Every structure is written in C-alpha cells, then in structure tokens.
Amino acid sequence: MRSLPLLALVAAVLTVPAAAQPAVDRTAGLLRELADAPGPPGFEEGVRRIVVREVSPLADKVSYDGLGSVIAQQGTSGPKIMLDAHMDELGGVVRRVTDTGFLSMQMLGGWLDQALPDQRWVIIGRNGPVTAVTGIRDVHVVPADERTRVFPRDSLYLDIGARTRAEVAALGIEPGDPVVPDAPFSILAGGQRYLGKAWDDRVGIAVVIEAMRRLRSQGHPNQLFVAATVQEEVGLRGARTAADLIKPDIGIAIEGGITGDSPGRNPEETQAVLGGGPGIFLYDSSAIPNRKMVQLVAYTARSIGVPLQRDLVQGYGDDSAAIQATAGGVPTVNLVVPARYTHAHNGIIDRADFDRTVDLVVAMIRRLDAREVARLRDFTP
C-alpha cells in the first residue's frame, strides 16, 4: 500500500466523522448546560435562569428566598418534602487590579492551593466574559529547592493579557467581578462518563430537575419543594433561608460525592467508586443523618434494584446540615452522585450513577406519605 504524504496523513487523523461523536440526549444536554454555566457563591444568576426555565412547567408555584434560592412547589397537600441541591460552584472574585494589569483573586469555597496555578479562568465582567490564566513561574528560573513547593493562593495573580489598569477597565473588569474555572464539558471515551467543572453540585441540580419531571407524570402523596439553593460553598446559607420559608417535614439533599477509586488514594478517605451507584453519607463533618431515613433509603434502593454505596467522609459539609437545624428539627439525609476530582477544574461523573440516583430519589419521594413521614419523625422511646 502506498504511504500517504505527511500533510494528507495528518488531515486524515484529525478528521473525525460526525457519527463517531457520542450522542447527546436531553439529560446529557442538561448536564452540559448546567456544568458550563458560571455560578460561584453569590453570583448564581446564570444557573438560576436554567433552573427556572426547567422547573416552571413542572411546578404549581415557583418562588425565591431572600438570597436568590429557587423554590419550586409541586403538590398542595400532604407532608412537606424538601428536595435540595445547590447552584453555586467553587470560584473566586476579583480583589485588586495592579498598575501593570494583573488581578489578585479572593477564592470562594474550599480550594486546594495546588489546584490553582497555571489554570484557565473566566471573569464575568460588565462587558461579558474575559479569559484569564493564573500564572506559574518558569522552571528554568525556579531554584531546585522550590520546584516541589506548593505556592500559596495569595501569591497568584490572574493574567488577562492587559498591560495597564486602564486596559483592564476597558475590558469591563473591576474588583468584585466573579471568576469561575474555564473547563468545558466533554463526553469521555465510551460515551458514559462526563468530564466537566462544577459537578459539586450541578449534578445534584440535574438530579432534582429530572426527579421533578418524572414525579409530575407519576404523581406522589406529598408537597414536594425542590430547592435550588445559593452560597452552599461558603456556609450552607441558601439551604437555611430556603428551609426557613418551606418549613419542611423531611429534607433530602442531593450532592456530588467523592470517590476513592483513582490510584494513590488512602482507602480510609472514601470507599465510593465511579459507576458503583448512588451514595449515602452516614457521616460528614457537618451532619449525621436521621437513622430511620438511612434505613428507608437502603430499603428503597434494594426494592428497585439500585446499588447503594455507603460512605463516611471527613472535611465535607452539605445542605442537609442546615436543613435539619430548622423548624424545630428536620429528619434529613444526604444522597450523592459519585464524582472524581471535586473542588478542582475538572471532575468526572458516570451516567449510570446519575440515572440510578434519579430512580432512587423518585422512589423515595413516592414512599413518603403522611404515615411514613410521621414514623420518621417519631422519637418516642
């Protein structure tokens, strides 16, 4: 066989037929849109627009708390079930502009310092998005004893290519503007694993939307309040204010979980694996779930054939902690879609885990009639 000229060979390699690309169904499209939307704590507007668009046709009423959380009510009688996921993601905010056109950044949420250098970011200024990068020192000039050092976040600056403070202003950027990771959604090899930013907790937002969609057609015996909350990453704030308005009888938080199946992990950190099904947190640093709720989740999962991963995680907080401390005390549980590499630019989820989590949530809510809720809330010895 005659060999192709070099340019022709390169062109053949780079030309991928459209049919070879993984298909994107409605659910994958929603996950893509949610993951790509900018929304650090206090700046959730872009995510809120998507949520309101999706839940409005499914709800009897849509309202908001005073911080901007979305509360979509479905059903007008029966126990009040609060199904929660938070809209915000890890990000930052422009803190200061230097005379030479660099920007310092106040981080929002629980970032690791080693995840920050040499990363692309998007600043949402008044004239639209602006691409930035956190710089990194050149290896050729870094002394040998500093090459393995983690440099603190306060030593990092955003570089947008500007040369002066005036050029930054001309781009519509000023202190207080939100900053988010630049990490576009992508479908990985095999078509069943999704790469993207903000799975904590856009995957939870997608779960509650899809669960609400299914429950609209299947029905349920309660008042369902789907709460898409704000500012979880900086103190569980929106869950508290939303729960103050809802006054739920039961609370279910949906989160992006943590996996321990990548190389080099301590098995005591977490036991969950990608593709192993939804998870339930038996403990985290902010909340201990209601024991009867844990038993109900396990029973429901078995009854519908969904594998359930049990986990205990230190250094983790979730909205169920804020919900359970309102209205005189609310039985709560935190369910998770496992995710690799959370609280960083790029995370991975498994589509089967997502679908099974929706199955579990729908089955749970359909079981939570007045009798079952009364049982869960009964602490009589």
Side-chain angles (χ1 to χ4, degrees):
M1 181 178 179
R2 184 168 61 87
S3 61
L4 291 170
L6 178 59
L7 290 178
L9 180 60
V10 171
V13 171
L14 295 180
T15 302
V16 180
Q21 300 298 313
V24 177
D25 62 6
R26 178 178 54 79
T27 298
L30 177 62
L31 285 164
R32 179 200 297 272
E33 189 177 11
L34 286 168
D36 285 347
F43 302 92
E44 297 91 351
E45 293 88 352
V47 187
R48 183 160 49 243
R49 281 192 290 270
I50 299 170
V51 171
V52 172
R53 182 196 72 203
E54 293 292 322
V55 302
S56 292
L58 310 172
D60 298 315
K61 178 183 178 182
V62 176
S63 60
Y64 308 88
D65 70 11
L67 293 183
S69 303
V70 181
I71 303 171
Q73 181 178 351
Q74 189 183 85
T76 57
S77 63
K80 293 182 177 181
I81 311 301
M82 180 174 176
L83 180 60
D84 163 282
H86 66 89
M87 295 186 288
D88 58 311
E89 64 184 295
L90 262 65
V93 62
V94 174
R95 186 167 58 209
R96 186 173 68 89
V97 180
T98 72
D99 290 339
T100 53
F102 290 89
L103 299 84
S104 63
M105 176 168 53
Q106 171 65 48
M107 306 313 301
L108 298 176
W111 286 99
L112 291 172
D113 282 7
Q114 56 260 48
L116 300 175
D118 197 35
Q119 295 282 2
R120 294 190 180 199
W121 306 80
V122 176
I123 305 169
I124 311 299
R126 66 176 179 273
N127 297 338
V130 175
T131 298
V133 63
T134 38
I136 190 169
R137 292 175 67 192
D138 195 298
V139 68
H140 300 294
V141 298
V142 174
D145 63 342
E146 295 185 17
R147 291 182 183 181
T148 58
R149 182 183 302 173
V150 175
F151 291 92
R153 62 191 62 193
D154 287 341
S155 68
L156 300 176
Y157 285 83
L158 292 165
D159 187 346
I160 62 172
R163 294 165 293 185
T164 64
R165 188 189 301 270
E167 288 187 359
V168 174
L171 289 169
I173 295 174
E174 61 186 8
D177 286 340
V179 184
V180 292
D182 184 359
F185 175 96
S186 182
I187 299 178
L188 299 181
Q192 293 301 304
R193 292 191 168 175
Y194 301 158
L195 175 70
K197 71 173 180 65
W199 292 134
D200 178 11
D201 184 30
R202 304 294 163 68
V203 68
I205 291 290
V207 167
V208 301
I209 290 172
E210 291 302 313
M212 193 176 190
R213 191 187 315 278
R214 197 180 304 177
L215 288 163
R216 185 69 172 180
S217 61
Q218 295 183 6
H220 54 85
N222 40 50
Q223 300 176 72
L224 175 63
F225 293 84
V226 169
T229 61
V230 298
Q231 301 189 39
E232 189 269 357
E233 297 292 357
V234 290
L236 317 181
R237 297 171 186 171
R240 185 173 295 109
T241 52
D244 282 342
L245 293 178
I246 296 168
K247 297 179 173 54
D249 297 304
I250 296 292
I252 302 172
I254 309 297
E255 267 281 8
I258 303 171
T259 64
D261 58 353
S262 52
R265 299 291 293 272
N266 179 346
E268 289 301 318
E269 294 175 356
T270 172
Q271 290 75 49
V273 300
L274 210 63
I280 180 173
F281 274 22
L282 305 179
Y283 167 90
D284 68 44
S285 300
S286 68
I288 297 174
N290 177 280
R291 292 185 66 188
K292 292 179 183 178
M293 289 275 289
V294 171
Q295 294 167 357
L296 179 63
V297 171
Y299 173 81
T300 304
R302 285 194 303 271
S303 69
I304 62 173
V306 167
L308 182 66
Q309 303 191 77
R310 295 165 173 83
D311 216 346
L312 294 86
V313 179
Q314 299 182 30
Y316 185 106
D318 73 272
D319 274 352
S320 71
I323 298 167
Q324 69 179 191
T326 64
V330 179
T332 62
V333 69
N334 184 44
L335 304 179
V336 301
V337 180
R340 287 182 184 154
Y341 324 126
T342 64
H343 282 221
H345 269 57
N346 299 284
I348 300 175
I349 61 169
D350 187 283
R351 174 62 185 269
D353 290 338
F354 174 87
D355 291 338
R356 287 167 167 170
T357 303
V358 175
D359 292 340
L360 178 58
V361 169
V362 169
M364 276 282 296
I365 291 172
R366 286 172 61 81
R367 288 182 184 275
L368 289 172
D369 57 15
R371 181 177 180 180
E372 183 62 19
V373 169
R375 185 186 72 84
L376 294 172
R377 293 180 58 88
D378 184 6
F379 291 89
T380 305

